[in-house]
Amino acid sequence: MSKAHIHPVTVHFGDCDPAGIVFFPNFSRWMDQASLAFFRARGVPPWRELEATRGIVGTPLLEIRTRFLRPATYGDELQIVTTIESWADKTFKHRHRVLRGDELLCEGTEVRAFVVRDPDTGRLRAIPIPEDIKARCG
Amino acid sequence: MSKAHIHPVTVHFGDCDPAGIVFFPNFSRWMDQASLAFFRARGVPPWRELEATRGIVGTPLLEIRTRFLRPATYGDELQIVTTIESWADKTFKHRHRVLRGDELLCEGTEVRAFVVRDPDTGRLRAIPIPEDIKARCG
Amino acid sequence: MSKAHIHPVTVHFGDCDPAGIVFFPNFSRWMDQASLAFFRARGVPPWRELEATRGIVGTPLLEIRTRFLRPATYGDELQIVTTIESWADKTFKHRHRVLRGDELLCEGTEVRAFVVRDPDTGRLRAIPIPEDIKARCG
Amino acid sequence: MSKAHIHPVTVHFGDCDPAGIVFFPNFSRWMDQASLAFFRARGVPPWRELEATRGIVGTPLLEIRTRFLRPATYGDELQIVTTIESWADKTFKHRHRVLRGDELLCEGTEVRAFVVRDPDTGRLRAIPIPEDIKARCG
């Protein structure tokens, strides 16, 4: 498993719903931030550079699975601990653990693929995991 | 399985990311809309009424699992087909299928609980599924 | 002043904050939807087509001004009434009125420009208002 | 004018639209964060405490006005410089300046009021600016 990256998140008033707790899709949003921060911390350029140089437009999701254990509210300081759990030929799996101090609030996995835009159809399609990116994340 | 409810969604420009496709947490947001619309369509009052009359503040998530099969973009008209797949003592499971015409774009399950706010601690805790609500959704 | 376009919005649970009312940036989000819906209703193609054919990537904001008169909450059905108040050489001004039935909840103006991406620098820059688009909206 | 408070913001991929730039309602969202951070930095408790002790549920917006000078994109590190420009009997005006290094990207004002929930009607209504809070922000 890869070395973990830690992405800090402060919960804001507007992230919370009428029950006073984080509206849950924000956890997915923060995990997405944590995923990109993971790659950036390993020296992978931002997607707009990779798009210009190699046609890679990002790492869209194929599947997510998330368990919500405890709610969070505004003012909370969270840490998202992100690893790559496994690599397949054309996909990889992240694990994200969302902590508030020692408490685990939320845990999830994401299956993602590196995609390029097909020049003919304009559609996105998955490519084999780029070896140089995989090497940086090992 | 319960009768399906159909929740329409129009994808807007601001729902899409720099790759030009729906930023995936929006699918979770739309499924949340579809869940509440499901209950409203069966005659369940909005949460703020249930909070005033019975202390129920909503149905927060315990677990989500979503597969993303095809991307969507702005201008697309989607339909979310929502059912209750199963009831447990204190939880229930939704299934949501996101369609664009005949194409299945995204499919997921949500495990939720009805919660009340504990008057002493202020914390949210799950209650047994209210029988009258279950009866409406059968 | 142009003919008005009406854009319907349903307020959802996740659009509301811990005070139980719409988190105000959502009004800006809905006005943005209403702006694009205004142009689409007049036969202007979506931005991704205009980008491919004419390099126009959208109509970003130069200035917004919004007054919030009454709050809204989830379950509310809103109507956004959108017009073009004036055209300048390189900008135009929208007016949006957000109604719940007869009640005016929120009113605002937006100053926007049509922009293209400079092929050399990659930067966005405003172009003179395209005459054909202006003619459609008159 | 009050002493300025600086609120840092990192722009994320999901904050950006298909043109690759920040979707503008996010600037309003970040200014809202900056407003609450301003009060917290001066020792004002979070709204949920003020609601329990004094019935104050927050500081909703009466009016916003924002000028967008330059776009931002993901990876950008922003600073929001927030002051209180003036106090009236029942309202106050914030000024927010959004900077990327020395560049001013966006500037805006917000008129807000402290509100309580009327125990009879459940409606929100503005109260005179609490003197103790004003004194802390002077």
Side-chain angles (χ1 to χ4, degrees):
Chain A
M1 202 174 68
S2 70
K3 201 171 144 237
H5 180 261
I6 295 178
H7 177 67
V9 168
T10 301
V11 180
H12 293 287
F13 184 78
D15 299 325
C16 298
D17 65 20
I21 61 175
V22 169
F23 184 55
F24 76 97
N26 287 313
F27 283 107
S28 297
R29 184 164 66 85
W30 296 329
M31 289 179 183
D32 190 71
Q33 297 175 3
S35 171
L36 184 47
F38 175 93
F39 287 111
R40 297 290 292 119
R42 269 145 192 81
V44 177
W47 307 139
R48 67 179 160 273
E49 277 182 40
L50 285 183
E51 186 172 7
T53 58
R54 301 164 65 172
I56 296 171
V57 301
T59 54
L61 276 295
L62 302 183
E63 185 173 342
I64 60 172
R65 188 170 187 172
T66 315
R67 290 185 312 136
F68 303 94
L69 306 172
R70 289 181 180 80
T73 190
Y74 60 99
D76 286 353
E77 300 287 345
L78 311 182
Q79 290 192 308
I80 305 187
V81 181
T82 297
T83 55
I84 291 183
E85 197 166 272
S86 58
W87 299 93
D89 285 355
K90 289 195 170 180
T91 65
F92 62 96
K93 185 188 277 191
H94 268 311
R95 179 170 296 277
H96 303 284
R97 301 176 75 241
V98 183
L99 299 162
R100 181 178 54 204
D102 291 338
E103 282 184 300
L104 180 63
L105 303 187
C106 175
E107 184 173 33
T109 55
E110 296 176 331
V111 178
R112 293 173 176 265
F114 285 86
V115 301
V116 297
R117 194 178 299 281
D118 186 290
D120 294 326
T121 66
R123 292 208 183 156
L124 303 175
R125 63 178 171 76
I127 56 170
I129 302 288
E131 283 300 326
D132 60 320
I133 292 179
K134 186 173 170 180
R136 284 181 179 279
C137 301
Chain B
M1 201 176 69
S2 70
K3 201 171 143 235
H5 180 261
I6 295 178
H7 177 67
V9 168
T10 302
V11 181
H12 293 288
F13 185 77
D15 299 324
C16 299
D17 66 20
I21 60 175
V22 169
F23 184 55
F24 75 97
N26 287 314
F27 284 107
S28 297
R29 183 164 66 84
W30 295 328
M31 289 180 184
D32 190 71
Q33 297 175 4
S35 171
L36 184 46
F38 175 93
F39 287 111
R40 298 289 293 117
R42 268 144 193 81
V44 177
W47 307 140
R48 68 180 159 271
E49 278 183 38
L50 285 183
E51 186 171 7
T53 57
R54 301 165 65 173
I56 296 171
V57 302
T59 54
L61 276 295
L62 302 183
E63 185 172 342
I64 59 172
R65 187 168 186 172
T66 315
R67 290 185 312 136
F68 304 94
L69 306 173
R70 288 180 180 79
T73 190
Y74 60 100
D76 285 353
E77 301 287 345
L78 311 183
Q79 291 192 307
I80 305 187
V81 181
T82 297
T83 54
I84 290 184
E85 197 167 273
S86 58
W87 300 92
D89 285 356
K90 290 194 169 180
T91 65
F92 63 96
K93 185 188 276 191
H94 268 312
R95 179 170 297 277
H96 303 284
R97 301 174 76 240
V98 184
L99 299 162
R100 182 178 53 205
D102 291 337
E103 280 184 301
L104 180 63
L105 303 187
C106 176
E107 184 173 33
T109 55
E110 295 175 331
V111 178
R112 292 173 177 266
F114 284 86
V115 301
V116 297
R117 194 177 298 282
D118 186 289
D120 294 327
T121 65
R123 291 209 183 156
L124 303 175
R125 62 178 172 76
I127 56 171
I129 302 288
E131 283 301 325
D132 60 320
I133 293 179
K134 186 173 170 180
R136 284 181 179 281
C137 301
Chain C
M1 202 176 66
S2 70
K3 198 169 146 242
H5 180 261
I6 296 179
H7 177 67
V9 168
T10 301
V11 180
H12 293 287
F13 184 77
D15 299 324
C16 299
D17 65 20
I21 61 176
V22 169
F23 184 55
F24 74 98
N26 287 313
F27 284 107
S28 297
R29 184 164 65 85
W30 295 329
M31 289 179 183
D32 190 71
Q33 297 175 4
S35 170
L36 184 46
F38 176 94
F39 287 111
R40 298 289 291 119
R42 269 144 193 80
V44 177
W47 307 140
R48 66 178 161 272
E49 277 183 38
L50 285 182
E51 185 171 7
T53 57
R54 300 163 66 171
I56 296 171
V57 301
T59 54
L61 277 296
L62 302 183
E63 186 173 341
I64 61 172
R65 188 170 187 171
T66 315
R67 290 185 312 135
F68 303 93
L69 306 173
R70 287 180 181 80
T73 190
Y74 59 101
D76 286 354
E77 300 288 344
L78 311 182
Q79 290 193 308
I80 305 187
V81 181
T82 297
T83 55
I84 291 182
E85 197 166 273
S86 59
W87 300 92
D89 286 355
K90 289 194 170 183
T91 64
F92 63 96
K93 185 188 278 193
H94 269 311
R95 179 169 297 276
H96 303 284
R97 303 175 74 242
V98 183
L99 299 163
R100 182 179 52 205
D102 291 338
E103 281 184 301
L104 180 63
L105 303 187
C106 174
E107 185 173 33
T109 55
E110 296 175 330
V111 179
R112 293 174 177 266
F114 285 86
V115 301
V116 296
R117 195 178 297 283
D118 187 290
D120 295 327
T121 65
R123 292 210 183 155
L124 303 175
R125 62 178 173 74
I127 57 170
I129 301 289
E131 283 301 326
D132 60 321
I133 293 179
K134 186 172 169 180
R136 284 180 179 280
C137 301
Chain D
M1 201 176 67
S2 70
K3 199 170 146 239
H5 180 261
I6 296 178
H7 177 67
V9 168
T10 301
V11 181
H12 293 287
F13 184 77
D15 300 324
C16 299
D17 66 20
I21 61 176
V22 170
F23 183 55
F24 75 97
N26 287 313
F27 283 108
S28 298
R29 184 165 64 85
W30 295 329
M31 289 179 182
D32 189 71
Q33 297 175 4
S35 170
L36 183 47
F38 176 94
F39 287 110
R40 297 290 291 117
R42 269 144 193 81
V44 177
W47 307 140
R48 67 178 161 274
E49 277 183 39
L50 286 182
E51 185 171 7
T53 58
R54 300 164 65 171
I56 296 171
V57 301
T59 54
L61 278 295
L62 302 183
E63 185 174 342
I64 60 172
R65 188 170 186 171
T66 315
R67 290 185 312 135
F68 304 94
L69 307 173
R70 288 182 182 78
T73 191
Y74 59 101
D76 286 353
E77 301 286 346
L78 311 182
Q79 291 192 308
I80 305 187
V81 181
T82 297
T83 54
I84 290 182
E85 197 167 272
S86 58
W87 300 92
D89 285 356
K90 289 194 169 182
T91 64
F92 63 94
K93 185 187 276 191
H94 269 311
R95 180 169 295 276
H96 303 284
R97 302 175 74 243
V98 183
L99 299 163
R100 181 178 53 204
D102 291 338
E103 281 184 300
L104 180 63
L105 302 188
C106 176
E107 186 173 31
T109 54
E110 295 175 331
V111 178
R112 292 174 178 265
F114 285 86
V115 301
V116 296
R117 194 178 298 281
D118 186 290
D120 294 327
T121 65
R123 291 210 184 155
L124 303 175
R125 62 177 174 74
I127 56 171
I129 302 288
E131 283 302 326
D132 60 321
I133 293 179
K134 186 173 170 181
R136 284 180 179 280
C137 302

